[in-house]
Amino acid sequence: MDLFAFKTLLFLLSFIGCCAGTDILPTGPVDAILGRNVTLKTLLDKPEFSFLVWNFNGGTEAVNVVTVTKTALKVNPDYQGRVSVNRTNGYLTLASLKADDSGDYSLTLTTETADTTTGEIKLRVLEPVSGVVIKSSVPEAIEKKDTVVLTCSAKGSFLKFTWLNGTTPIVVDGNRLSVEGKELSSALTIRNVYRTDLVGPIYCRVANNLETENSAPFNLTVYYGPEAVTITPSKTPLVLKSGTNFSLTCSAVSSPPATFTWYHNNTIMEIGGPLLTLEKIKEHGLGDKEEPYMCKAENTKTKGTVASSAVSIRVMEGISGVTVTGPKAVLIADNSTANISCQAAAGVVEKRSWMKDGKPLAASARVVFSSDQSSVMINPVQKEDNGEYKCELSNHVSTAQNSYKMVVNYGPEAAMVKGEEKVEVNEEVTLTCSAVSVPPANFTWKFNGTATNVKGPTYVIPGAAYKNSGTYTCEANNVVTGKTTMHTHTLSVNAEGTLDGLSDGAIAGIVIAVLVALGAAIGLIIYCRQKVPCKNEDIDLRVESPY
Ligand SMILES: *[C@@H]1O[C@H](CO)[C@@H](O)[C@H](O)[C@H]1NC(C)=O
Ligand SMILES: *[C@@H]1O[C@H](CO)[C@@H](O)[C@H](O)[C@H]1NC(C)=O
Ligand SMILES: *[C@@H]1O[C@H](CO)[C@@H](O)[C@H](O)[C@H]1NC(C)=O
Ligand SMILES: *[C@@H]1O[C@H](CO)[C@@H](O)[C@H](O)[C@H]1NC(C)=O
Ligand SMILES: *[C@@H]1O[C@H](CO)[C@@H](O)[C@H](O)[C@H]1NC(C)=O
Ligand SMILES: *[C@@H]1O[C@H](CO)[C@@H](O)[C@H](O)[C@H]1NC(C)=O
Ligand SMILES: *[C@@H]1O[C@H](CO)[C@@H](O)[C@H](O)[C@H]1NC(C)=O
Ligand SMILES: *[C@@H]1O[C@H](CO)[C@@H](O)[C@H](O)[C@H]1NC(C)=O
Ligand SMILES: *[C@@H]1O[C@H](CO)[C@@H](O)[C@H](O)[C@H]1NC(C)=O
Ligand SMILES: *[C@@H]1O[C@H](CO)[C@@H](O)[C@H](O)[C@H]1NC(C)=O
């Protein structure tokens, strides 16, 4: 086989292998942007040629673009200034691409021996991606009801559309979310749109093989609600003190924000706004009874109205002006009756309790409470009934109290005189009289049965004389009860020195006492020996003289 035949075979094989010229041109197509430059590359490396020809076929007929010989470069006048060829590798560069530069380019290489190699490649001149805009079928939408169709349109060639939710591509399910693509647009259909669907923001990304353009961020307001309509506080029932700064607050999840109306007993109250104050309840003449209140939230866009649960409220006045009234008359033990009553100037009293001197006041045969506990009758009063009576009134919202001090007059009880019974002449004598009494008793004194002009609890004789011997009677008198008690004391005034020494009887008494003490001490010592240790206190014996 000669060389020519071999080359021809290779040439033919190259046609069989694929398409023409895989040897000298890569597979296409080559994409390029309108108005820019493109270089059609070859697979050649310093080829030997006598002619290198680039032809172009736009669909009708082939035209020569450029022909390169060893020495010259001949450019078709239509391409003048737009074309260059690199002799080293045969690359063709076309500048300022026009739309009708799209088509098939062929490269033919002819050697000196007239061997010809041909290759072909397709060039696509793409219009740049531009004017990417999203338009919505509706300016606003209502959640779970409306269908929103977003249309993305753009200019360019061979466009591919992608929808982005923020930065992540939107995954369509063909059901609630679906996409329909056309050559220059894409429509994203969202059925029963959700509030979160279109806040992404949404972008439309349009691309060809060479370029990518994003739309401006797009979002659409989706109205929803009202939902979760709640009243706070919701604890029910609520008993509130009138005049306090209190209000019920209604809230709802809603877009646009809900408008609120208030209802009492399921009847509209003509109060708008999220707050229902105690003041407003009063203005409506309500609140005295425990009755239900609720609010309704309405969304002007979705036209939805939702009611809250009901909260029962009762407004109660606080208790004030508590007075405890006791008897005005003077009370005398065993003879008077006392009625103590407790009243409030304002407020509903729900509970009353009574205390006497800090302890609960107990009912008894003498102490009887009225059925509503508003008063207590003590009949008859006794000296133990003296003291402070506290009355405490309370209701759900307040507690108030006051007290009354009751004085029961009694006595005097048995009078008592303390003082010397035997004195020597010239010694001082002080007699003191006492008697338990309310009010304190007045004291008068009698000597030997005859009134003296001494008044008051003490009777003092600065220096006793023999004539002072006799009986001293103290009379205790209570002006209120009118009672008098008395006690008689005997004084003997003796000669000087007669009371100094000890009488025979006294001496005998002391001797006996000493003996008794001694006997006890011996006994204790024996006891301690048997039972050691013996504590000191056990031996601490005191011998007390009766004098
Ligand atoms: C032609 O191609 C060769 C090899 O790729 C390169 O080195 C040379 O710079 C190119 N010449 C021109 C004028 O671009
Ligand atoms: C395109 O080619 C023209 C002429 O060959 C040249 O002036 C211009 O700089 C080139 N532009 C680019 C982007 O390469
Ligand atoms: C966009 O993303 C949010 C959560 O990030 C999602 O709730 C919403 O449904 C998405 N929108 C679409 C159209 O897929
Ligand atoms: C889109 O979102 C921006 C900011 O997140 C907001 O200012 C704008 O009002 C929104 N537009 C629409 C139509 O919801
Ligand atoms: C009632 O209380 C609220 C907050 O608890 C306060 O903003 C408001 O000023 C108060 N009103 C009055 C009259 O004190
Ligand atoms: C509220 O309803 C209750 C029971 O349904 C009724 O007894 C009461 O009178 C009503 N109150 C007002 C102010 O209508
Ligand atoms: C005390 O109250 C009772 C019953 O209310 C009444 O019968 C009685 O007369 C009252 N006594 C006095 C001393 O007020
Ligand atoms: C008795 O004593 C009281 C004070 O305790 C006094 O006010 C009253 O005048 C006295 N009465 C007589 C009769 O002395
Ligand atoms: C008082 O009475 C006593 C005995 O009863 C009598 O001894 C004494 O002399 C009397 N004193 C006077 C001053 O009367
Ligand atoms: C005590 O009560 C009786 C009648 O029960 C009366 O006659 C007498 O005056 C009363 N005494 C006083 C001190 O009030």
Side-chain angles (χ1 to χ4, degrees):
M1 194 192 293
D2 68 358
L3 191 65
F4 178 80
F6 177 70
K7 284 192 176 171
T8 309
L9 184 64
L10 275 182
F11 180 74
L12 289 172
L13 280 172
S14 73
F15 275 89
I16 295 161
C18 165
C19 30
T22 43
D23 276 345
I24 56 170
L25 287 179
T27 37
V30 169
D31 287 341
I33 302 294
L34 187 74
R36 310 246 177 97
N37 299 354
V38 72
T39 297
L40 298 178
K41 295 179 179 172
T42 67
L43 300 173
L44 301 173
D45 187 21
K46 297 179 187 145
E48 290 289 322
F49 62 87
S50 47
F51 294 103
L52 186 153
V53 180
W54 279 99
N55 285 343
F56 167 64
N57 189 335
T60 47
E61 55 173 342
V63 292
N64 178 253
V65 177
V66 61
T67 303
V68 185
T69 64
K70 278 213 164 85
T71 52
L73 185 127
K74 192 180 137 247
V75 179
N76 180 332
D78 290 348
Y79 287 92
Q80 205 66 53
R82 287 215 295 138
V83 159
S84 62
V85 175
N86 184 330
R87 282 176 177 279
T88 318
N89 51 25
Y91 286 15
L92 170 74
T93 300
L94 267 175
S96 309
L97 284 171
K98 295 186 260 185
D100 47 17
D101 286 335
S102 291
D104 296 326
Y105 287 79
S106 67
L107 171 63
T108 308
L109 212 63
T110 310
T111 63
E112 279 160 19
T113 54
D115 291 339
T116 300
T117 329
T118 299
E120 201 173 79
I121 190 159
K122 186 183 281 293
L123 173 67
R124 299 193 299 185
V125 177
L126 308 181
E127 229 185 290
V129 182
S130 67
V132 182
V133 238
I134 298 179
K135 286 214 173 78
S136 170
S137 58
V138 287
E140 55 191 37
I142 289 169
E143 188 181 50
K144 292 175 193 161
K145 186 166 162 253
D146 288 349
T147 294
V148 176
V149 180
L150 301 184
T151 307
C152 176
S153 59
K155 281 189 222 143
S157 358
F158 308 107
L159 300 180
K160 271 194 331 207
F161 290 83
T162 318
W163 290 90
L164 298 175
N165 183 5
T167 50
T168 51
I170 291 177
V171 180
V172 297
D173 57 7
N175 184 21
R176 198 177 78 85
L177 292 178
S178 61
V179 167
E180 195 189 341
K182 292 194 184 136
E183 202 184 330
L184 292 177
S185 68
S186 172
L188 171 66
T189 302
I190 304 167
R191 270 172 264 278
N192 305 329
V193 65
Y194 293 162
R195 70 192 71 171
T196 53
D197 277 350
L198 299 174
V199 297
I202 304 293
Y203 296 92
C204 170
R205 174 169 292 174
V206 183
N208 58 28
N209 281 346
L210 300 169
E211 278 189 328
T212 298
E213 283 285 322
N214 278 351
S215 69
F218 173 88
N219 53 6
L220 184 81
T221 307
V222 175
Y223 296 119
Y224 56 87
E227 290 171 2
V229 181
T230 43
I231 287 189
T232 43
S234 58
K235 204 178 124 248
T236 182
L238 283 169
V239 182
L240 301 163
K241 188 171 179 175
S242 68
T244 50
N245 181 11
F246 173 87
S247 51
L248 289 175
T249 307
C250 192
S251 66
V253 173
S254 176
S255 170
T259 54
F260 300 100
T261 41
W262 290 90
Y263 289 76
H264 160 265
N265 249 11
N266 290 321
T267 309
I268 191 157
M269 289 178 81
E270 310 296 346
I271 294 175
L275 292 183
L276 177 62
T277 60
L278 220 51
E279 216 179 340
K280 294 251 176 68
I281 293 176
K282 273 281 174 207
E283 276 170 20
H284 280 68
L286 300 171
D288 292 343
K289 283 182 281 177
E290 186 186 309
E291 284 167 350
Y293 295 80
M294 68 159 184
C295 69
K296 283 185 183 172
E298 188 187 349
N299 183 319
T300 50
K301 291 282 183 181
T302 65
K303 307 276 184 256
T305 300
V306 176
S308 72
S309 56
V311 170
S312 285
I313 284 187
R314 180 178 170 197
V315 186
M316 197 177 259
E317 206 177 326
I319 294 172
S320 63
V322 176
T323 47
V324 184
T325 319
K328 302 236 166 15
V330 168
L331 300 176
I332 292 162
D334 298 322
N335 212 337
S336 312
T337 298
N339 276 1
I340 309 172
S341 73
C342 181
Q343 302 299 336
V348 175
V349 178
E350 291 178 329
K351 193 171 161 249
R352 298 163 202 267
S353 65
W354 291 87
M355 306 275 275
K356 176 176 180 284
D357 295 331
K359 290 191 198 106
L361 179 63
S364 70
R366 290 194 305 110
V367 179
V368 179
F369 290 97
S370 65
S371 57
D372 66 352
Q373 302 269 306
S374 68
S375 70
V376 56
M377 183 172 82
I378 305 175
N379 184 25
V381 292
Q382 286 180 350
K383 65 171 182 178
E384 305 81 58
D385 299 331
N386 269 302
E388 191 175 45
Y389 289 79
K390 192 174 84 182
C391 161
E392 189 176 277
L393 303 181
S394 59
N395 63 21
H396 274 78
V397 297
S398 69
T399 295
Q401 59 188 46
N402 213 334
S403 58
Y404 165 76
K405 195 162 165 49
M406 186 162 82
V407 177
V408 176
N409 298 285
Y410 67 92
E413 299 189 334
M416 271 267 296
V417 175
K418 275 196 179 154
E420 298 84 349
E421 287 172 3
K422 289 182 178 177
V423 292
E424 291 179 1
V425 169
N426 290 330
E427 281 184 349
E428 191 189 283
V429 174
T430 304
L431 302 180
T432 308
C433 187
S434 64
V436 175
S437 173
V438 171
N442 296 18
F443 298 100
T444 51
W445 295 84
K446 281 181 177 163
F447 173 60
N448 273 5
T450 311
T452 66
N453 52 14
V454 176
K455 291 187 180 8
T458 57
Y459 190 115
V460 180
I461 306 168
Y466 292 115
K467 63 164 184 172
N468 292 132
S469 290
T471 58
Y472 291 83
T473 303
C474 162
E475 282 189 13
N477 173 255
N478 181 324
V479 282
V480 176
T481 62
K483 283 189 187 163
T484 302
T485 56
M486 56 187 70
H487 185 262
T488 301
H489 179 86
T490 308
L491 177 72
S492 77
V493 181
N494 300 280
E496 210 169 334
T498 52
L499 298 177
D500 273 352
L502 296 171
S503 66
D504 292 351
I507 290 164
I510 288 168
V511 169
I512 290 163
V514 166
L515 286 176
V516 169
L518 198 67
I522 290 162
L524 188 72
I525 287 160
I526 291 162
Y527 165 79
C528 285
R529 284 207 177 140
Q530 287 166 345
K531 185 172 174 260
V532 274
C534 197
K535 279 186 250 144
N536 264 349
E537 305 94 274
D538 290 353
I539 330 175
D540 183 19
L541 294 169
R542 293 217 177 95
V543 179
E544 275 187 15
S545 160
Y547 294 98

